[in-house]
Amino acid sequence: MTAIARYDGVADYYASGWGEDLTDPVTVALFDVLGDVAGQRVLDVACGHGRISRGLAHKGATVVGVDLSAAMLAKAEERESNEPLGIRYLQSDAADPELLQGDEYDAAVCSMGLSDIDNLDGTLANIRRLLRPGGIFAFAMLHPCFPGIEGVSAAWPSDGTYYDERYWQADASLSTLRQQVGANHRTLSTYLNTLHHHGLTLTQTAEPQPRITPDSPRAPMAQYPVFFVASFANS
Ligand SMILES: C[S@@+](CC[C@H](N)C(=O)[O-])C[C@H]1O[C@@H](n2cnc3c(N)ncnc32)[C@H](O)[C@@H]1O
């Protein structure tokens, strides 16, 4: 399976929309389930332009960021050369069996990247291999059960159902990123069973409500599960 770097064409768009402010509810929940990272070696899987990597480094972690997209990593590297935090970036498919052979990490994170990754099984196998025993894997993603609202696509294909697990591209007017890069829809059971299969044991979950003003066209989203955040320990 050859992974496709779908973010190469949207790096400017993504970086302008998802910046350095890490106070949004989903990122706060991600760092909360991850726990204290000071002094730890942390792998940022699907790090993109590095905003979470930088947040981890500011919290005292030694960070390696991995991403498939050269354009996203170029932004991360540019930022690192302007404001060095000691972050090492690597271009790779997160599922490449050769990824970071011989390394060991205290923790791994994946912020809003699991549904972008085509090979979930290979990626979780790598995370398991790279985590020390007891190490934590924390992730945040669009909730697989998000049903969508007018103008915002559901987590699952608009011509299918929750049970249709496949790559698809959103079509609703406000789903501007997923119109361009699409996503791999998987049921919640698939995520949880694949994590379990790779020896990762649930430690904490959160379903943070998005920060939406009442007059926003996205306001109805506040009624539904929008984000799923969880941490798992390497057994
Ligand atoms: C929504 S962005 C998230 C970026 C970053 N984690 C953040 O929170 O801003 C998803 C990222 O997943 C990356 N990605 C997709 N497939 C990947 C793969 N197979 N291996 C590594 N990274 C991948 C994309 O290039 C993109 O940078």
Side-chain angles (χ1 to χ4, degrees):
M1 186 189 296
T2 305
I4 304 165
R6 302 184 180 100
Y7 280 71
D8 277 348
V10 298
D12 287 335
Y13 172 81
Y14 189 83
S16 65
W18 286 267
E20 298 305 298
D21 178 9
L22 302 181
T23 64
D24 61 286
V26 68
T27 308
V28 168
L30 176 65
F31 283 132
D32 183 47
V33 302
L34 177 63
D36 184 11
V37 293
Q40 297 204 338
R41 302 154 296 178
V42 182
L43 177 63
D44 185 4
V45 178
C47 64
H49 64 308
R51 62 189 193 98
I52 300 296
S53 299
R54 288 186 286 280
L56 292 163
H58 282 303
K59 288 176 183 288
T62 301
V63 184
V64 174
V66 173
D67 200 279
L68 189 61
S69 164
M72 294 287 273
L73 286 172
K75 293 189 176 298
E77 296 279 18
E78 183 184 357
R79 188 76 188 232
E80 176 65 17
S81 56
N82 291 339
E83 289 171 43
L85 291 168
I87 303 169
R88 178 159 78 94
Y89 291 107
L90 177 71
Q91 186 183 5
S92 173
D93 179 359
D96 182 342
E98 302 297 316
L99 178 70
L100 296 165
Q101 281 284 352
D103 278 15
E104 186 177 74
Y105 295 85
D106 301 299
V109 299
C110 186
S111 165
M112 306 305 288
L114 286 184
S115 67
D116 290 292
I117 291 173
D118 296 332
N119 183 350
L120 178 68
D121 194 59
T123 297
L124 293 181
N126 276 345
I127 288 170
R128 206 272 165 100
R129 170 174 58 79
L130 291 165
L131 278 179
R132 67 165 168 78
I136 295 291
F137 173 48
F139 65 83
M141 65 181 177
L142 175 68
H143 203 304
C145 305
F146 174 59
I149 59 164
E150 189 176 339
V152 181
S153 291
W156 56 86
S158 54
D159 61 347
T161 75
Y162 172 70
Y163 299 98
D164 289 319
E165 297 192 301
R166 57 182 154 94
Y167 172 80
W168 72 290
Q169 278 175 280
D171 43 22
S173 59
L174 299 174
S175 297
T176 46
L177 178 65
R178 289 192 298 134
Q179 276 180 29
Q180 298 175 80
V181 297
N184 292 284
H185 172 62
R186 304 175 181 104
T187 64
L188 189 57
S189 297
T190 292
Y191 279 108
L192 297 178
N193 287 333
T194 312
L195 286 151
H196 177 73
H197 173 75
H198 289 289
L200 296 162
T201 305
L202 179 66
T203 51
Q204 200 178 338
T205 60
E207 293 171 292
Q209 287 188 289
R211 190 167 55 197
I212 305 174
T213 52
D215 55 350
S216 159
R218 290 186 167 83
M221 288 169 67
Q223 304 168 55
Y224 302 113
V226 181
F227 297 111
F228 185 73
V229 178
S231 58
F232 288 75
N234 186 16
S235 52

